[in-house]
Every structure is written in structure tokens, then in C-alpha cells.
Amino acid sequence: MTLPQEPSAAPDTDLPALSAFLPAPSGTFICAQDAIFDVSSVATALEEAWSKAASPAEIRKATVAVLNVAQKQGRAAIASAMTDAPRNARPALRAYAWLTDCIVTTVLFTAMTKLHPNPNPTEGERIAVLAVGGYGRGEMSPYSDVDLLFLAPHKINGWIESVVESMLYMFWDLHLKVGHSTRTIRDCIRLGKEDFTIRTAMLEIRFLSGNRALATELQERLRDELFQNTAREFIEAKLEERAARHRRQGGQRYIVEPNIKEGKGGLRDLHTLFWIAKYVHGVSHPSDLVKAGVFTQDEYRQFDEAETFLHATRNALHLIAGRPMDQLTFDMQVEVADRLGYFDHSGRRGVEHFMQNYFLHATRVGELTRIFLTSLEARHVKQEPALQRLLKRRRKVGDQYEIVHNRLNTRDRKAFLSDKLNLLRVFEDALRTGYLLHPDVMRLISANLDMIDNEMRNAPEARRIFLDLLLKHGNPERALRRMNELGVLGAFIPEFQHIVAMMQFNMYHSYTVDEHTIQVISNLAQIEREELEDPLPLTTSIMKTGVNRKVLYVALLLHDIGKGRVEDHSVIGAQIARRVAPRLGLKPSECETVEWLVRYHLLMSDIAQKRDISDPRTVRDFAKAVKTRERLDLLTVLTVCDIRGVGPDVWNNWKATLIRNLHAQTAYALEHGLEEVNRDAREGEAKKELRARLNDWNASDKRRELQRHYSTYWQGLPFATHEIFAHLLKDIQPDEIRIDLHQDEDRDATRACFALTDHHGIFSRLAGALALVGANVVDARTFTSKDGFATAVFWIQDNDGNPFEEGRLPRLRQMIDKILRGKVAAKDALETRDKIKKRESKFNVPTSIIFDNEGSEIFTIIEVDTRDRPGLLYDLTRVLAENNISIVSAQIATYGAQVVDSFYVKDMFGMKIHSESKQRALEKKLRTSIVAGAKRAQAQ
């Protein structure tokens, strides 16, 4: 924290000069002092302006006019200098603080000498103005609040009230965001005892101007009457406040849109650490913590680097936003990274390099906080966590360890380092005994990472220890997370270091790559502990039946290790796995399986979400790729853990249903032969099921329904949907539109079924209608019956990814009916609703369009991978309709701002689109529509 020296006090004489009243500058500034606030020019301008003022109101107005110009010039000078040196945060903070000092004290000077002169003040007519909070520390970002304490000796008298009131009017006219309080010394002591927030503010007061003796008296009495002998209660209050703040911010250091002030690992964590240090040790600067024996010199350097980085980020964020802002939203991340000088290289965007640095610093802030809090426990100032106090029964530890404050510590540092394997073994011992590592051990490990060399990596005992960490103790994520934070994981597996703190700049992934990997492994451990049996019955059953756990855990550890490079991360990852798996002691056959799992870890997810798994060709091709039931089971577990590890709300019943269905059909194909998976078998099964469901229908009606549809209809829909369409089509008239909206709990979606007379472009019209009512389509099928009726089913979700609430369905039905009857033109109405949110505007999602004639026996698959927006599906389907392309089904897979729309289509003759010239022409029209729609959406 930056703590400027206290400014000189104004002399207690009649009408002092402005230059004597202003604070003395402290430390270096980012630009020339006179460019920030030219004291002589301001004083001259004020004297000239005052000479023309005939009343107090005119004096205030004249003062504000002069200071407005000075403030504008000073801010412009600082901002210009920050453009040239954007990472030079501390001199910028000091410059903003000094500019504010000058404005505040000039306003006080005006109030005391021009508006309310009092040449002979009584003992009670004394006032001191003090800065508090971040301003008190001398740390001000461009739009930080100005927090002031107006201090009176005994009571707030009329003269003090008048001075404060006049100052506040001028502050407001200057558009300063001032937080203020007017208190006596007794008030400060009393309120500080009652409220820890006020007590914290009192900890950081800094005298600006007025009566210095008054400020000195306050500081002495605070120390003697408030701070002394109350350290424990202050620490507990601050730590509880910190925990509550972390919970409000999501409780996770690796949030992809972090709050750099309030979030875990942010500035407020450093502030909390400093407040406690100042309260307990009486330090005035974090560097004093080295003298106090809390930090080593290297740890203080890391503290300083983290704080400087966070302040530079916050300064840039304020200037870009033009207002106070601490949330690093996606759109701001790009601009902040650019302003701080980050650029694209090594296959990654500048913003990804910037955010990787952010997360590395945030992680280190957490480590420093742990070290500091443990030092407090060692001094018996901070209580041990309540749970640890309850678990005082000692668990047996090895001779080389001792338990210090309920944490595992080494007895002899030299003996511990005599065996380099102890750098791994200590994590296993911590898991085995259940103890947390003592920060002294963590320091020792971090300082000796160079001992983890090739000799150690290849040692059989090192391999055993590492694999036991994964497989033996039931909670590998705890060891892996601590190993990662201390740098051990990247040292033992150097290839892993590349993805540490790596951020993926998209809206799909909630975590950095390394944290995602640990979350994925945590998911598998929870499955093995049978904690997820209800939501994940399939994977729980697979793990109970028995698979090669070693292969699975190693594959999960390495599945994303190839990220952050130009090449396909699955291909690069498989190449890395080929090197790492043997080093970890796996057998050749196990290494081959790990390599295959890493290479194809996205295969099952892609097939399930981007292809029609009711198409027999899809299942047969997938079965050919996995080859064995063992690989199918391993890939299924990996896929589920991977999707669940992306973020808290990514896994849902829809994905679970897709994965379960694909696994079941593929397992059947592998067991009974690929030829058993065919359209005839599925059609017969579907008709048999419908006969049973329509047992109350007469034979004639039942026969009519069973003969009404082509074979693709029977193969492409769930049995329950066949039953719904049977009722919708019964006795339907040519001019009728029948709609059925119901929740499909198995898929976390609302199922919207439509029966109406078929006509060209029906799929596009339905997509437009659904887009207008705010529905996101996740899957769709449309068929034409032999008697000319369209049967279309869409599975839709609201904007939060949930089924529509029951209460909204009647209005939803009315709106859709109105749109389908032509009372509302979807194309025109969508133009104002089709927009991209500002926070999503900086994502680069390149468009890819693929024509696949091999993935289905009778359809061409058109896969469109592009930027998502509300009207995209309507635009794409309208282009296809205008070009006489019939859509039979569509799979929509959304990945944050990216969407992959896969259409199963035929041309106007019912054939596949084989002509390359037709494919190129259609692709050009689709791209034109995407570009035009994106421009329209960006302009909204």
C-alpha cells in the first residue's frame, strides 16, 4: 500500500497563502507536478476571480470554475502519461491522490478564508480535514470515491457546520463523489467500537489540512482507546467480512469475469491483509512485514507485483469505462489488455495472455494471505478455524513431521530437503492424515522447485506417489490444487505448466484450463464416492462395474494439456500424452488408450450434440470409432466429467439424455453387431410402441395413423412424440394449426409440437415464430405426412437455459399462433430484437460451414459453426428455404457465444446435395446472411 508522508499543516495565522495551505507532494508522480496542479496559476486565477465576486455565492461559483479547469487539466495530464506508461500504477495513484488533495484543501482554504473567515477561533472552533479509506492510503484510481472526515474537537458548532456545508456545495458542483462524515474525537472512538467498518476507516486516516493538533490527538486516542488489546476481535471481524465478500463474488478465484477489487485474490484481499498487519504490527507499509518476520523479501516482492498489476488493471478499467468500475467483463477485458500493451502471439489472443497474468497474481495473493494468517495463529492473535479446534485428536504422522496449529510442518528443513521425493511425498502424507500443509512447508516447497528434475520425474517411487495421489485417497483434487498453486504440478509434469492460469476467452468455460482440469478430476472422484448416483446413474454404474481407473484419471489430467497453441488441442494433447503417460509408469496398452482418449475426448460430446443420434449411420460410425465396449465406457465417463467441469450450469438433463442414448445405442451395436442398427428395426419398434399407446383408439383410426407417415418419421422421433402427433393429427382440418406445448423433464426443455398443412419454408416460419417469443431452440425435427400435413417438433428453452414456466405457456401458444397465421411478420419484427449484448461483443467466433454427405445415409448434413444471436436460426433456415432445400432435422449446440447448427437436408428432388458448385453457392449465401445479421445485431 502507498502511504504518502503527511502534508505540512496550514499555519495558524490570519489568511494564509494558498501555497502554504496545500499539502506537500509525496513520492514520484507519473507526470510533472505542475501539470497535475499548478499551484501558482490556480492561486492567481482564484485571486482574480474572487476580486470580481460580490457575494458568497459568487465566490463559490468562481472557485468552482477555477478548480474545474484545474481538475480537467490535471486529469488530462495524468491520463496522457498513463497512455505512455499504463503499467506504472503507483505514480498514477499518487498523482490522482495529490490532485484530489489540492482540490480538497483549496476548497477548505476558500471556505475558511473567504466564506467563513474566523481570525480568532475559540478552542471549539477548530477543524481538521482528514482523508480516509483508499484516499487515506494515498491510492486513488481515476474515478475513486473521495472519502473525508471533518473532525471537530468536542461538538459540531455553527461555524464548523457552515464550513463543511460550503465545502460540500463546492465538491458537488465539481462533480466529485464525496463520502463524508462530520464527527468529534469522542464520536470516532464510540462509533469505531460499535462498527468494524468505521474502525477500519479510522485505521487509515491521513491528515490533509486544518488543525494538525486535532488530528494528532485523534490518532493517539484511537491507538490507546480503540486499537490497543483488541486485535483478535478486529481480525475475526475482517476475516468474516472477507469470507462473506468471497461468497458474494462466487467463492471462486478463477471466475472468468472477476471483480478485481472485491473478488477472491483481488485488491480487497490485499487491503484486508494490510489492515490486519497495521492493527497487529503497527506497520505503515507492507514492506515493513519483512522486518516483522511475516514475509520474506521474495514474498514481499510478489505482494508488490500483484498489487501493482491489479492497480494498473483498475486504472485502465476506470479510464475506458469513464466511471468507477471493478468488474472485468468480457468486453472490458479486451480493451484493458490492449491498453496495458498485451498483444496476440503463440496462437492466443492478447486478452488471454492478460487474463493468465491476472489469475497468476490472484493465486499468489491467496498464498500470501495464507502465510500471513498462519503467522497470526503462531502469535496466538488469530483463532484456529472452529472445525480444526474440534478435531484436536491427533492423527499419526511420520517422524519427519510435526503438527503446528493443526497443520503439517517439517521438523528439520535440511533433512526434509535431503530427499527430493519429499517434495511429492508431503502431499500424499497430507491426504493420508487429513492435515492441511503449514505455510512454512509451502514456502519450503516453492523455494526448491528446481529439485524436481528429470531424475526425480523418472524415479519409480515418484511415479508411485503421484499415481497414489490420483487413485488411492479418494480426494485427488485437494492435492492437485495445492500442488498446482505451489508450482509442483507444473514442475513434475512440465507440459502442464503451459496451461496454468490459462484463460479461454469465451462465454462457455467458467474456469481457467488448469482449474477446469482439476474440476474434471473432482467430478470423477465424486462419482467414485457415489455422491452423484442420482444425477449420474450411467457413469456411476460404469465405475461400479469396473474400468481401468489409472487410464481414466491420467486421461482426465491430460485431456486439455494441448490448449493454447495454434494447432488442434486434441491432436497436440495426444502427442503430449504419448510422452507423459510412459513417464508416469503406465503400460504400453494403457498409454495407447490414454492417447486415444485425449485425441478423441470431444468425439462423444460432438456426436451427441451436433448429430442426429436417431440416424443409424451416426451410431454405426461412432461405434466404428470407439471399437470396444471398454473404450466406450471410458469415453462416456470422461465426456460427462469434462462437460460438468466446464461450469456450474453447463451440464443438464438434455445433455444427460443425449449421452445416455448414444451410449445405449452404441453398446447395443458393439454387442449385437453394427448391422443390427438399421432403419427397418427402428420403424417396427416405433409402430409397435404406438399401437400400445393408442389402445383406446378403434382399429380404423389406428391403422390410418400407422400408415400416414414415411419411414423417416418413425426413426427420428421419441415414442412419446409419436403419440402427441397422433392426437394432434386426428381429424385435423386443412386450415387448422394445432399446437401442443409441454415440459420435457428428461431434456430440461419445453417440447413444442406443431401440426398444420405443409408448405415450403415451414421450418423457417416456425423458427422465426419461436425466436420472436424469446425461445432458444436446442433440437428440432420436421416431417411431412403422406396426406400433406407437416409434423414439426422443437425443443426450446428460455434465455436462462430452462424450460418455459407453465404459467407462460398459454401466452406462448397465442403468440406463436398469431405469427404462424401471418398477423406478425417474423422478418420485420426480429430486426429490432436480434441484438448482441455489449459484454459479448468482443468475442471472435469465425464462421465455418461444412457439407457432410457421409454422416447420413439419405441426407446431406450442413454444419454451420458461427456467432450465436437470437435471429440466427431463422436467417439460416430462410436461406435454405429460398434455395429449395428441405430441412428434416436440426441439432443446435450452444457454447456460450458460439453455436453449431447442424441441418439434415435434401434438395427439391429429395436427393443429397452432391454438386460442389451448388455447395459453394449455398455456402456463399449462408455466409452473406450471417454477416448481414451480425452487422444488424451489432448496430442495435
Side-chain angles (χ1 to χ4, degrees), residues 103-105 107-109 111-112 126-132 135 146-157 159-172 176 178-188 191 202 205-211 214-215 218:
I103 291 171
V104 169
T105 50
V107 168
L108 177 65
F109 175 77
M112 290 182 65
R126 292 179 296 156
I127 187 172
V129 180
L130 297 95
V132 297
Y135 181 32
V146 181
D147 293 323
L148 296 173
L149 169 63
F150 299 105
L151 185 65
H154 308 301
K155 69 175 185 176
I156 315 299
N157 57 40
W159 180 79
I160 292 175
E161 286 181 340
S162 298
V163 170
V164 171
E165 183 179 25
S166 294
M167 290 181 70
L168 290 177
Y169 277 128
M170 285 186 275
F171 289 147
W172 294 332
L176 292 178
V178 176
H180 65 93
S181 58
T182 307
R183 296 178 183 140
T184 65
I185 293 176
R186 186 182 296 115
D187 291 337
C188 292
L191 293 171
M202 292 296 100
I205 56 175
R206 178 170 62 93
F207 176 73
L208 293 177
S209 196
N211 191 289
L214 197 59
L218 173 64

Side-chain angles (χ1 to χ4, degrees), residues 53-117:
S55 67
E58 290 183 3
I59 291 175
R60 281 201 308 267
K61 185 177 180 181
T63 303
V64 168
V66 170
L67 290 181
N68 256 329
V69 172
Q71 180 179 222
K72 185 176 181 181
Q73 291 174 343
R75 285 185 168 277
I78 298 170
S80 176
M82 287 172 65
T83 301
D84 297 331
R87 302 193 196 189
N88 201 6
R90 295 183 184 282
L93 297 174
R94 283 193 289 268
Y96 279 116
W98 190 69
L99 173 61
T100 307
D101 287 351
C102 292
I103 291 171
V104 169
T105 50
T106 300
V107 168
L108 177 65
F109 175 77
T110 304
M112 290 182 65
T113 63
K114 296 297 178 183
L115 298 176
H116 310 286

Side-chain angles (χ1 to χ4, degrees), residues 498-571:
H498 180 73
I499 61 170
V500 172
M502 179 185 288
M503 182 251 199
Q504 302 167 85
F505 190 65
N506 57 54
M507 288 181 61
Y508 182 57
H509 291 88
S510 297
Y511 307 113
T512 54
V513 180
D514 56 335
E515 177 61 19
H516 162 72
T517 300
I518 294 170
Q519 292 279 349
V520 167
I521 290 173
S522 176
N523 278 317
L524 179 55
Q526 289 179 71
I527 292 170
E528 286 204 286
R529 296 194 296 263
E530 298 184 17
E531 296 173 1
L532 301 175
E533 190 164 8
D534 286 343
L536 302 179
L538 173 60
T539 50
T540 302
S541 172
I542 290 172
M543 295 307 295
K544 283 182 178 179
T545 302
V547 293
N548 190 321
R549 298 174 61 245
K550 187 192 304 182
V551 164
L552 192 49
Y553 272 102
V554 172
L556 289 174
L557 179 68
L558 303 179
H559 79 284
D560 273 348
I561 204 166
K563 282 199 168 177
R565 296 168 171 86
V566 178
E567 302 89 344
D568 184 333
H569 82 278
S570 298
V571 175

Side-chain angles (χ1 to χ4, degrees), residues 486-747:
L486 296 178
V488 174
L489 193 53
F492 187 68
I493 304 177
E495 295 86 350
F496 193 88
Q497 186 60 42
H498 180 73
I499 61 170
V500 172
M502 179 185 288
M503 182 251 199
Q504 302 167 85
F505 190 65
N506 57 54
M507 288 181 61
Y508 182 57
H509 291 88
S510 297
Y511 307 113
T512 54
V513 180
D514 56 335
E515 177 61 19
H516 162 72
T517 300
I518 294 170
Q519 292 279 349
V520 167
I521 290 173
S522 176
N523 278 317
L524 179 55
Q526 289 179 71
I527 292 170
E528 286 204 286
R529 296 194 296 263
E530 298 184 17
E531 296 173 1
L532 301 175
E533 190 164 8
D534 286 343
L536 302 179
L538 173 60
T539 50
T540 302
S541 172
I542 290 172
M543 295 307 295
K544 283 182 178 179
T545 302
V547 293
N548 190 321
R549 298 174 61 245
K550 187 192 304 182
V551 164
L552 192 49
Y553 272 102
V554 172
L556 289 174
L557 179 68
L558 303 179
H559 79 284
D560 273 348
I561 204 166
K563 282 199 168 177
R565 296 168 171 86
V566 178
E567 302 89 344
D568 184 333
H569 82 278
S570 298
V571 175
I572 295 298
Q575 295 170 2
I576 294 172
R578 191 182 305 159
R579 299 195 303 270
V580 174
R583 195 193 310 152
L584 294 178
L586 274 67
K587 300 173 184 175
S589 61
E590 294 174 329
C591 294
E592 182 184 348
T593 304
V594 167
E595 181 183 345
W596 183 89
L597 285 169
V598 174
R599 172 65 182 88
Y600 295 105
H601 73 272
L602 295 176
L603 177 64
M604 190 172 199
S605 175
D606 285 347
I607 293 293
Q609 296 184 75
K610 300 177 186 178
R611 290 294 181 264
D612 182 359
I613 58 178
S614 68
D615 188 324
R617 173 68 70 86
T618 300
V619 176
R620 288 201 299 268
D621 287 350
F622 181 63
K624 290 176 184 177
V626 298
K627 291 185 173 64
T628 67
R629 177 63 185 263
E630 178 195 19
R631 283 190 173 181
L632 172 64
D633 287 345
L634 288 168
L635 184 58
T636 299
V637 176
L638 185 152
T639 301
V640 171
C641 292
D642 190 17
I643 296 174
R644 284 177 60 89
V646 168
D649 300 317
V650 175
W651 179 259
N652 54 30
N653 283 345
W654 176 259
K655 293 184 177 72
T657 299
L658 293 175
I659 297 296
R660 274 200 305 269
N661 288 346
L662 181 56
H663 179 275
Q665 293 182 58
T666 308
Y668 182 87
L670 291 171
E671 182 178 352
H672 297 92
L674 302 185
E675 65 280 355
E676 291 297 314
V677 183
N678 59 70
R679 294 182 178 275
D680 291 340
R682 289 194 176 184
E683 180 176 348
E685 186 181 1
K687 288 182 175 181
K688 180 181 178 182
E689 176 69 22
L690 185 60
R691 285 192 193 96
R693 289 173 178 256
L694 301 180
N695 59 2
D696 57 339
W697 283 30
N698 63 51
S700 175
D701 289 342
K702 192 182 297 186
R703 185 169 52 254
R704 184 182 301 111
E705 177 60 24
L706 291 169
Q707 295 177 353
R708 185 174 221 154
H709 305 282
Y710 295 103
S711 61
T712 52
Y713 173 86
W714 299 109
Q715 298 149 13
L717 291 175
F719 298 148
T721 310
H722 288 144
E723 183 182 3
I724 290 170
F725 277 128
H727 290 288
L728 289 177
L729 289 169
K730 190 176 183 181
D731 301 324
I732 190 172
Q733 300 302 308
D735 59 346
E736 274 192 278
I737 298 175
R738 293 186 178 180
I739 303 172
D740 178 272
L741 301 176
H742 275 94
Q743 307 285 22
D744 190 335
E745 294 181 1
D746 288 342
R747 302 183 182 222

Side-chain angles (χ1 to χ4, degrees), residues 652-869:
N652 54 30
N653 283 345
W654 176 259
K655 293 184 177 72
T657 299
L658 293 175
I659 297 296
R660 274 200 305 269
N661 288 346
L662 181 56
H663 179 275
Q665 293 182 58
T666 308
Y668 182 87
L670 291 171
E671 182 178 352
H672 297 92
L674 302 185
E675 65 280 355
E676 291 297 314
V677 183
N678 59 70
R679 294 182 178 275
D680 291 340
R682 289 194 176 184
E683 180 176 348
E685 186 181 1
K687 288 182 175 181
K688 180 181 178 182
E689 176 69 22
L690 185 60
R691 285 192 193 96
R693 289 173 178 256
L694 301 180
N695 59 2
D696 57 339
W697 283 30
N698 63 51
S700 175
D701 289 342
K702 192 182 297 186
R703 185 169 52 254
R704 184 182 301 111
E705 177 60 24
L706 291 169
Q707 295 177 353
R708 185 174 221 154
H709 305 282
Y710 295 103
S711 61
T712 52
Y713 173 86
W714 299 109
Q715 298 149 13
L717 291 175
F719 298 148
T721 310
H722 288 144
E723 183 182 3
I724 290 170
F725 277 128
H727 290 288
L728 289 177
L729 289 169
K730 190 176 183 181
D731 301 324
I732 190 172
Q733 300 302 308
D735 59 346
E736 274 192 278
I737 298 175
R738 293 186 178 180
I739 303 172
D740 178 272
L741 301 176
H742 275 94
Q743 307 285 22
D744 190 335
E745 294 181 1
D746 288 342
R747 302 183 182 222
D748 274 344
T750 298
R751 182 184 56 221
C753 293
F754 304 92
L756 65 163
T757 300
D758 189 30
H759 56 80
H760 187 63
I762 188 66
F763 194 105
S764 183
R765 282 186 63 195
L766 291 169
L770 292 169
L772 277 176
V773 297
N776 295 319
V777 178
V778 293
D779 197 356
R781 303 278 191 280
T782 182
F783 304 96
T784 302
S785 66
K786 295 175 182 177
D787 53 348
F789 286 97
T791 50
V793 56
F794 288 74
W795 282 271
I796 58 176
Q797 295 175 334
D798 63 18
N799 286 328
D800 295 323
N802 300 315
F804 282 85
E805 296 175 0
E806 289 287 349
R808 295 180 63 187
L809 295 184
R811 188 169 182 274
L812 199 65
R813 185 194 308 273
Q814 293 172 5
M815 284 294 296
I816 293 171
D817 186 77
K818 188 183 296 185
I819 294 164
L820 290 178
R821 294 186 185 280
K823 296 178 181 178
V824 177
K827 182 179 178 182
D828 298 334
L830 270 174
E831 287 197 0
T832 58
R833 303 190 189 188
D834 193 11
K835 59 184 69 175
I836 294 174
K837 296 176 183 176
K838 183 176 183 292
R839 89 179 251 271
E840 303 172 10
S841 61
K842 300 296 182 180
F843 293 114
N844 292 339
V845 183
T847 295
S848 168
I849 299 176
I850 298 171
F851 289 80
D852 176 8
N853 279 311
E854 302 300 322
S856 175
E857 294 173 343
I858 56 177
F859 302 113
T860 293
I861 304 170
I862 304 177
E863 183 181 290
V864 181
D865 185 340
T866 191
R867 173 64 174 269
D868 196 15
R869 54 183 172 82

Side-chain angles (χ1 to χ4, degrees), residues 428-468:
E428 185 182 23
D429 289 333
L431 279 187
R432 178 181 56 79
T433 62
Y435 285 109
L436 299 176
L437 292 180
H438 192 282
D440 287 350
V441 177
M442 292 191 260
R443 280 171 161 169
L444 191 62
I445 293 169
S446 296
N448 292 278
L449 290 177
D450 58 325
M451 293 177 65
I452 303 177
D453 53 16
N454 283 332
E455 179 188 14
M456 176 183 168
R457 295 183 194 106
N458 292 310
E461 179 64 6
R463 297 169 176 174
R464 181 204 64 76
I465 294 170
F466 185 77
L467 289 177
D468 280 357

